[in-house]
Amino acid sequence: MSREDLLGGLSAVATQGQVRQISYEQLHRASWQPRRSFPRDSLLALARSVRREGVRQNLIVRPSPQQPGRYEIIAGERRWRASAPDLAATLQLSVDEERGLTGPPPRTLPCLILTLDDQDARRLSAVENLQREDLDAIDEALYRLLLIQDVLGDRPHADPDNASTLAQTLGRRLHAIRNHPEQHGDERTRLETLFASLGTMTWESFVTNNLPLLQLPQDLLDAVREGRIAGRSALLIHRQTDPALRQALLTASETGASFQELRRLVDDQQGKRWKGLAADVRQNLGTRTLERLDDQRRARVMRLLEQLQDELQGSRS
């Protein structure tokens, strides 16, 4: 299914829009827009291009529902940010970097103005942004959630900054649909159609592998957004309960370690932990130690030892 099929009737609406130049100050980001990651170096490179050649692709906007006389950006926020008059201060550019910005920022940007309701604006924004290759894993998951909310008829969450709450709210429903297919046949069909249109993964895979990213703690969430670690590695780090191991994995990942290398570090650490535990148990299983226990505790230890012996013998068979 093509992008036009996914957008449905919006393709016809887009052909009826009006293109005009709009000043930077008249534009603003959408409050529901989930994308938060705009890598500094990439934005600076785009700003240099904008200063030399202008904005070559139309932004997609609509009349602002909250701010009369202004326009809400549906797609093209990165181009708008790169055109900012105060870009040097915002990005904290060095003197050399600022010299590389030849020419003034554009005073106006070319915009395609569409008349869209909230639902259609979110759908168009999600589809347009999911075509991009520079989305981080967190933003991609959030845009997919926007489309899931659309096809399931859910009211969008009011706070896109709170990724964890958003994932919990919709995640419960998605888990119910996955775990009880006999009760959610129509919803499953809609999800399957949506993800077939988007490609790259099934909706079940999204629930298992991508949705958990939105519930990462803030330090790992920021690291994924900033491109310092991969989403898969962040989930592995998050599962570790040993603070020292967690920090070692984070440091290794930020310096370029692959997921497989992190997995080996975890396995090595678990092996050391097992050896240490076995040594402690051997030391505490002396006859004198057992004799010092009262009858009830000694009986409990003996039962545990018998269970352990059964498990170890079973592993050899």
Side-chain angles (χ1 to χ4, degrees), residues 204-271:
E204 293 95 339
S205 174
F206 172 80
V207 171
T208 300
N209 301 316
N210 297 71
L211 193 61
L213 291 173
L214 302 180
Q215 296 179 284
L216 289 170
Q218 195 61 48
D219 63 332
L220 293 178
L221 203 63
D222 291 341
V224 174
R225 279 193 181 279
E226 294 164 9
R228 291 186 280 121
I229 63 175
R232 190 181 180 196
S233 297
L235 291 174
L236 175 63
I237 295 170
H238 181 48
R239 288 195 292 268
Q240 309 312 312
T241 57
D242 181 351
L245 175 59
R246 185 183 187 278
Q247 185 57 51
L249 292 172
L250 180 58
T251 301
S253 184
E254 289 181 328
T255 54
S258 67
F259 176 81
Q260 288 74 19
E261 290 170 328
L262 297 182
R263 182 72 261 178
R264 284 196 291 272
L265 286 174
V266 172
D267 292 342
D268 290 345
Q269 185 63 30
Q270 288 177 341

Side-chain angles (χ1 to χ4, degrees), residues 40 71 73-74 81 172 237-238 261 287 299 313:
R40 180 185 185 278
Y71 295 87
I73 300 171
I74 297 171
R81 286 175 176 265
R172 284 192 291 268
I237 295 170
H238 181 48
E261 290 170 328
T287 303
Q313 287 179 341

Side-chain angles (χ1 to χ4, degrees), residues 14-313:
T15 63
Q16 301 170 9
Q18 175 189 5
V19 177
R20 55 175 279 204
Q21 294 286 331
I22 299 177
S23 70
Y24 175 89
E25 291 76 13
Q26 282 183 280
L27 299 167
H28 71 87
R29 70 169 283 122
S31 60
W32 45 262
Q33 183 67 255
R35 189 175 188 185
R36 293 292 182 268
S37 178
F38 297 90
R40 180 185 185 278
D41 291 346
S42 173
L43 198 60
L44 178 56
L46 179 59
R48 289 175 179 143
S49 172
V50 165
R51 298 286 181 102
R52 290 193 309 267
E53 305 170 14
V55 178
R56 304 178 67 178
Q57 183 180 0
N58 295 337
L59 283 69
I60 301 176
V61 304
R62 66 169 178 163
S64 175
Q66 294 86 23
Q67 303 179 39
R70 300 187 71 192
Y71 295 87
E72 182 181 79
I73 300 171
I74 297 171
E77 182 179 347
R78 188 166 163 269
R79 278 161 273 159
W80 175 68
R81 286 175 176 265
S83 304
D86 59 348
L87 184 74
T90 302
L91 296 184
Q92 298 181 329
L93 300 183
S94 67
V95 174
D96 289 341
E97 287 174 327
E98 193 167 355
R99 286 199 192 105
L101 290 174
T102 57
R107 299 179 63 181
T108 61
L109 291 82
C111 298
L112 172 63
I113 305 171
L114 302 179
T115 301
L116 301 171
D117 62 21
D118 290 346
Q119 184 182 44
D120 284 344
R122 286 189 297 270
R123 182 164 29 133
L124 179 57
S125 176
V127 173
E128 289 290 337
N129 278 285
L130 284 171
Q131 312 300 313
R132 306 191 62 85
E133 296 181 356
D134 60 348
L135 271 187
D136 65 60
I138 305 299
D139 286 337
E140 180 182 352
L142 284 168
Y143 277 118
R144 287 179 184 271
L145 277 187
L146 275 182
L147 290 174
I148 289 171
Q149 288 175 312
D150 182 27
V151 300
L152 294 182
D154 281 2
R155 183 177 180 181
H157 196 274
D159 184 10
D161 284 321
N162 195 334
S164 178
T165 301
L166 180 60
Q168 289 176 4
T169 301
L170 199 54
R172 284 192 291 268
R173 184 172 180 185
L174 291 172
H175 281 288
I177 294 171
R178 184 182 64 179
N179 297 334
H180 303 284
E182 70 285 352
Q183 301 175 18
H184 302 279
D186 179 60
E187 291 166 314
R188 287 179 65 89
T189 299
R190 280 182 271 161
L191 288 170
E192 288 165 1
T193 301
L194 169 64
F195 275 77
S197 304
L198 296 174
T200 71
M201 71 181 73
T202 65
W203 74 270
E204 293 95 339
S205 174
F206 172 80
V207 171
T208 300
N209 301 316
N210 297 71
L211 193 61
L213 291 173
L214 302 180
Q215 296 179 284
L216 289 170
Q218 195 61 48
D219 63 332
L220 293 178
L221 203 63
D222 291 341
V224 174
R225 279 193 181 279
E226 294 164 9
R228 291 186 280 121
I229 63 175
R232 190 181 180 196
S233 297
L235 291 174
L236 175 63
I237 295 170
H238 181 48
R239 288 195 292 268
Q240 309 312 312
T241 57
D242 181 351
L245 175 59
R246 185 183 187 278
Q247 185 57 51
L249 292 172
L250 180 58
T251 301
S253 184
E254 289 181 328
T255 54
S258 67
F259 176 81
Q260 288 74 19
E261 290 170 328
L262 297 182
R263 182 72 261 178
R264 284 196 291 272
L265 286 174
V266 172
D267 292 342
D268 290 345
Q269 185 63 30
Q270 288 177 341
K272 292 176 182 177
R273 199 156 53 236
W274 278 113
K275 290 178 181 178
L277 178 60
D280 290 342
V281 170
R282 282 196 301 270
Q283 183 176 355
N284 289 320
L285 280 180
T287 303
R288 291 183 180 179
T289 302
L290 292 175
E291 288 176 347
R292 285 198 296 267
L293 298 176
D294 58 49
D295 292 343
Q296 185 176 9
R297 294 181 67 189
R298 188 183 305 115
R300 188 161 61 245
V301 169
M302 291 301 296
R303 285 196 299 271
L304 290 173
L305 287 174
E306 289 170 355
Q307 292 174 13
L308 177 60
Q309 182 69 8
D310 289 342
E311 290 292 335
L312 293 175
Q313 287 179 341

